[in-house]
Amino acid sequence: MEKKNIIDVQNLRTEFRTQDGVVHAVNGISFALAEGETLGIVGESGCGKSVSMLSVMQLLPQPPAKIMADKLDFCGQDILKFNKAEMGNIRGRQMAMIFQDPITSLNPVLTIGFQLVEPLRLHLDLSQEAAEDRATQLLALVGISDPRSRLKDYPHQFSGGIRQRVMIAMALSCNPTLLIADEPTTALDVTIQAQIVELVKQLRDQFGMALIWITHDLGVVAGLAQHVIVMYAGCIVEDAPIDDLFASPRHPYTRALLRSLPRVDGVRAGKLISIEGLPPDLIALPTGCPFAARCTYVKDKCRVENPPLEEYGPRHKVACWVNVNTGELL
């Protein structure tokens, strides 16, 4: 039986009005995610990954941001039309976000217990005692020892990895339908990163949540997501099932990302290859493909016309004028 979509986004655009001009941060992305599924969103810093999800959550101040979309449905509701109060009722309760840096996401002058209890009382209407019991259970769930006494501690008394576990507990507190993880392992060392990824996987399977995992590292989503979106300059350049993306990447940027990653399966030996050049200026986007200036497959057509995202195979979409296997125009 086909699963129902939790979220359906069509032609999402986000702009920022600045003194230097309009920053085109997200440029017409579309995606859908079914219940219980995991979507990976990858790309280098500044490509629009985080801004696109902050736009969905409507956490960007408007102005300077301007969020537009043909469709922004969450659980059958058009949340783009929601006011602040209506979005406040959904955020935390039905959709939640784990942010990149827990030390800036947690209030340094409030105890962990207070910050965990507050959304429980607000969204679930629990008494103080019931909320503290639930907060204790949540800290235990994410692997924090002696959880009851740790409710009295402040963020600075926790290590980076434990602070991120607290953030996961907060995100899970109201059993959300959708969990968005915005590069939650970036500030952590490799061992702790692996623990956090494994923890989120376990909790996703346990609670049946839909999950969106934002990262710059394709290796992280390899064992986590069923489907991957590759973003560049605010656009989706490739959208594919995870196995297809690794076995047969169709966009030059995706191929370049994969060549820059170490592999342990013996498929490729030798030095890693960096991507030359810089991403385009989002205030003055080129008229053609935004990756053309850095692309080794570039043709004249690429510099004058931006390719649409089109179906290449089953659930596999690519925005490119060139067949990367032959180097010829499609």
Side-chain angles (χ1 to χ4, degrees):
M1 192 172 85
E2 190 174 345
K3 293 181 179 178
K4 184 176 69 173
N5 283 338
I6 292 295
I7 189 162
D8 188 355
V9 177
Q10 298 297 324
N11 197 21
L12 175 67
R13 291 99 63 207
T14 303
E15 300 173 350
F16 294 93
R17 302 276 170 179
T18 71
Q19 291 180 334
D20 297 325
V22 179
V23 178
H24 302 280
V26 180
N27 301 304
I29 71 168
S30 301
F31 67 91
L33 182 63
E35 51 191 357
E37 289 190 348
T38 299
L39 173 70
I41 302 180
V42 301
E44 59 196 300
S45 297
C47 72
K49 307 183 301 294
S50 298
V51 172
S52 61
M53 292 303 106
L54 289 169
S55 300
V56 168
M57 296 277 288
Q58 295 187 40
L59 286 171
L60 298 171
Q62 302 182 65
K66 183 179 181 182
I67 302 169
M68 302 159 284
D70 294 349
K71 185 179 183 181
L72 188 51
D73 279 8
F74 176 70
C75 293
Q77 303 173 89
D78 184 1
I79 60 174
L80 197 60
K81 295 178 180 177
F82 279 18
N83 59 35
K84 286 185 179 181
E86 290 170 327
M87 274 307 298
N89 288 331
I90 284 182
R91 281 195 301 261
R93 182 163 192 161
Q94 290 178 268
M95 63 165 70
M97 196 165 188
I98 306 169
F99 295 96
Q100 186 174 132
D101 186 5
I103 195 62
T104 57
S105 303
L106 293 166
N107 191 319
V109 300
L110 298 175
T111 65
I112 293 299
F114 183 92
Q115 295 180 70
L116 271 169
V117 164
E118 185 180 35
L120 292 168
R121 299 202 67 184
L122 176 67
H123 290 300
L124 301 184
D125 198 26
L126 297 180
S127 67
Q128 180 69 24
E129 185 180 356
E132 287 181 2
D133 288 342
R134 170 72 174 154
T136 302
Q137 293 168 6
L138 286 164
L139 291 184
L141 185 68
V142 297
I144 296 177
S145 58
D146 195 14
R148 176 66 74 169
S149 68
R150 302 234 66 180
L151 290 177
K152 301 172 185 175
D153 289 343
Y154 291 86
H156 73 271
Q157 295 175 273
F158 292 78
S159 67
I162 299 299
R163 279 195 294 263
Q164 197 57 282
R165 287 173 184 263
V166 171
M167 289 300 300
I168 294 170
M170 291 178 71
L172 295 174
S173 59
C174 299
N175 297 325
T177 308
L178 171 66
L179 178 63
I180 300 171
D182 183 9
E183 301 200 54
T185 61
T186 297
L188 307 175
D189 65 58
V190 176
T191 306
I192 305 301
Q193 281 184 28
Q195 292 175 7
I196 295 297
V197 171
E198 191 58 36
L199 173 63
V200 172
K201 282 173 66 175
Q202 291 173 3
L203 296 171
R204 173 201 64 188
D205 296 340
Q206 183 176 341
F207 294 106
M209 300 175 297
L211 174 64
I212 296 176
W213 189 283
I214 303 168
T215 182
H216 61 273
D217 187 351
L218 272 165
V220 171
V221 297
L224 184 68
Q226 288 96 31
H227 207 86
V228 182
I229 284 172
V230 181
M231 289 188 67
Y232 185 79
C235 303
I236 295 175
V237 295
E238 190 155 6
D239 179 349
I242 187 73
D243 292 340
D244 286 2
L245 192 86
F246 278 88
S248 183
R250 295 291 173 180
H251 196 279
Y253 178 59
T254 311
R255 288 200 162 194
L257 280 179
L258 288 169
R259 285 199 303 267
S260 69
L261 287 175
R263 295 188 64 146
V264 295
D265 56 7
V267 170
R268 185 190 66 241
K271 292 182 178 179
L272 301 180
I273 304 170
S274 62
I275 305 174
E276 298 294 331
L278 295 170
D281 183 355
L282 295 179
I283 292 178
L285 284 170
T287 54
C289 172
F291 189 61
R294 307 171 75 186
C295 183
T296 55
Y297 298 85
V298 66
K299 306 293 182 185
D300 290 341
K301 184 177 183 179
C302 304
R303 300 186 191 278
V304 295
E305 192 176 350
N306 194 7
L309 188 69
E310 293 186 332
E311 199 90 21
Y312 183 87
R315 300 185 69 200
H316 195 153
K317 298 177 182 177
V318 183
C320 188
W321 295 123
V322 179
N323 183 328
V324 291
N325 291 323
T326 64
E328 300 298 322
L329 285 169
L330 290 168

